[in-house]
Amino acid sequence: MDPPVSVTSHPRRRLTTSLPLASILIPPKPPPNPNPTTTSPSSAAAATATATATSSLRSPVRIEAMSSDDEVREEKELDLSSSDVVTKYKDAADIINMSLCKPKAKIVDICEKGDSYIREQTGNIYKNVKRKIERGVAFPTCVSVNNTVCHFSPLATDEAVLEENDMVKIDMGCHIDGFIAVVAHTHVIHDGAVTGKAADVLAAANTAAEVALRLVRPGKKNKDVTEAIQKVAAAYDCKIVEGVLSHQLKQFVIDGNKVVLSVSNADTKVDDAEFEENEVYAIDIVTSTGEGKPKLLDEKQTTIYKRAVDKNYHLKMKASRFIFSEISQKFPIMPFTARALEEKRARLGLVECMNHELLQPYPVLHEKPGDLVAHIKFTVLLLPSGSQRVTSHSLQELQPTKSIEDNAEIKAWLALGTKTKKKSGGKKKKGKKGDAAEAVPMEEGSNDANKE
């Protein structure tokens, strides 16, 4: 496919800032270990909980008035066959590959500063182009703790703080010109190796993510991934959380129609689908030490919404019309947090908008008290050279009680490569560095979950 019309291509770059996200989220601390893959026990207390980046529009939607060139551009669905699209996905991924937390940090402060960091960084790039490029937060920063599964992004008045030994899940998303990188990572606020049930559930999530990475490839089907990740979780005596969907990503579409279901059962089914070259997916893995059947406990905790563009209704209340107009102007497509709205009117206006299905809510779900939930989400590009994971982060040292050493099926999945084999008979081209994800299976490396 030809490159997009009227878009200036940019070379691949590593984004930098004079004030890194780590120094925004917590007070200044001594420089980190220059080798992030070998965290010493003494530094683990301030270890990063990095969000490594994760929903239904049917086609790309423009936010601005389109010129004749843009209209031509919109006739073609942009995908990874365009090098400019690949660059934008990777630039978005660069921005969200950093985050950090520590005890006594207020959860709402982390959420606000995470979003501010994304806005700041995306605002610094793609300035000198021929047309305006939309960019910013694709999914608000969420910090969900212990048995809270997802989507906890509280209002400014919330006083919740992180505590020692909390299992913290950070989830966020960024987009450049509608090309989205979404991410989630789990970190235990703990000095030293993570042990016991916490290590089991984290190892289960990470190993399932590594297996999924190797199975999300052209020719494989979504049901192959669903079956495999459930087997991985069972090997660690954990459950894959029901109701989680891994979506295909497209320009301005965070929840594409092609999905991978976390758990297939009689009540929840999706259409069979085959992965294809030049597609992009947000692979969402959530594991639990409990039953894996989360519940909505309090609707008031819901603060993240997305406009339902296929719904229309003439709102009666003035506050509702004001809020919906604000949403339509500021967040016409991407999910947003209620913190970004005018607070007093939002309380009343959101209710009527929800009652008439003008907004899609992202509810805060919980497992039972005492259960632990781990969340790993990453963005993967199905390039001609192979499956490339563009959002990732190393784990803490894990010492789980379970091992997959004797599980031949899981070991075989982990042994699969992520690069696409070249067809014989043609001249081989030298691949560029980083063309395929160099994921490290759980059985290898310094963060081996199964070391005794």
Side-chain angles (χ1 to χ4, degrees), residues 144-402:
S144 305
V145 180
N146 297 330
N147 66 310
T148 302
V149 175
C150 57
H151 303 153
F152 188 73
S153 188
L155 298 176
T157 54
D158 192 273
E159 296 295 325
V161 299
L162 300 179
E163 301 288 355
E164 187 74 22
N165 295 317
D166 276 348
M167 177 168 279
V168 183
K169 298 165 285 291
I170 300 182
D171 185 5
M172 62 205 310
C174 171
H175 82 95
I176 295 173
D177 199 20
F179 300 107
I180 303 163
V182 290
V183 359
H185 187 71
T186 301
H187 183 86
V188 178
I189 303 178
H190 177 74
D191 188 5
V194 180
T195 61
K197 291 195 304 180
D200 290 341
V201 74
L202 249 175
N206 185 71
T207 306
E210 295 290 357
V211 168
L213 172 63
R214 288 154 173 79
L215 295 180
V216 178
R217 58 199 305 169
K220 289 287 187 179
K221 297 184 181 296
N222 54 356
K223 64 181 180 181
D224 298 333
V225 180
T226 301
E227 294 169 0
I229 62 175
Q230 291 181 72
K231 290 181 179 180
V232 171
Y236 289 97
D237 198 20
C238 294
K239 298 283 189 181
I240 294 291
V241 172
E242 294 183 5
V244 178
L245 295 176
S246 296
H247 286 273
Q248 182 184 6
L249 301 174
K250 295 184 178 182
Q251 189 180 24
F252 292 108
V253 181
I254 199 170
D255 54 355
N257 290 336
K258 292 178 73 171
V259 300
V260 178
L261 186 61
S262 60
V263 178
S264 181
N265 54 43
D267 298 326
T268 310
K269 293 183 178 181
V270 299
D271 293 336
D272 288 344
E274 184 175 304
F275 303 113
E276 300 177 42
E277 190 174 287
N278 291 324
E279 291 181 335
V280 181
Y281 286 87
I283 302 302
D284 213 341
I285 307 293
V286 187
T287 55
S288 173
T289 60
E291 296 178 354
K293 298 179 179 181
K295 299 185 183 301
L296 173 64
L297 301 182
D298 185 358
E299 290 184 355
K300 293 181 180 179
Q301 287 187 324
T302 301
T303 62
I304 297 177
Y305 306 88
K306 183 168 74 74
R307 183 184 169 190
V309 295
D310 57 341
K311 299 289 184 179
N312 290 289
Y313 178 78
H314 183 69
L315 296 164
K316 302 298 190 293
M317 295 174 55
K318 183 177 180 180
S320 303
R321 294 195 297 273
F322 177 88
I323 286 299
F324 191 66
S325 175
E326 185 179 4
I327 292 169
S328 299
Q329 291 175 22
K330 293 182 178 180
F331 314 105
I333 297 173
M334 299 295 182
F336 64 91
T337 169
R339 288 193 310 273
L341 304 175
E342 203 279 313
E343 186 175 357
K344 291 183 179 179
R345 295 188 182 184
R347 293 175 184 174
L348 292 174
L350 287 173
V351 174
E352 188 179 7
C353 290
M354 283 294 300
N355 287 342
H356 296 283
E357 300 180 338
L358 296 178
L359 299 176
Q360 173 189 328
Y362 289 80
V364 179
L365 303 177
H366 302 266
E367 283 276 70
K368 294 178 180 178
D371 292 339
L372 293 175
V373 177
H375 187 190
I376 292 180
K377 176 163 56 177
F378 61 91
T379 303
V380 59
L381 314 182
L382 304 191
L383 296 164
S385 57
S387 299
Q388 184 172 356
R389 178 177 178 173
V390 293
T391 52
S392 63
H393 190 266
S394 58
L395 288 178
Q396 297 166 273
E397 181 184 355
L398 304 178
Q399 295 178 359
T401 65
K402 309 295 180 182

Side-chain angles (χ1 to χ4, degrees), residues 22-23 26-34 42-43 46 100 102:
S23 66
I26 65 170
K29 64 182 182 69
N33 186 333
S42 61
S43 66
L100 196 144
K102 67 177 295 184

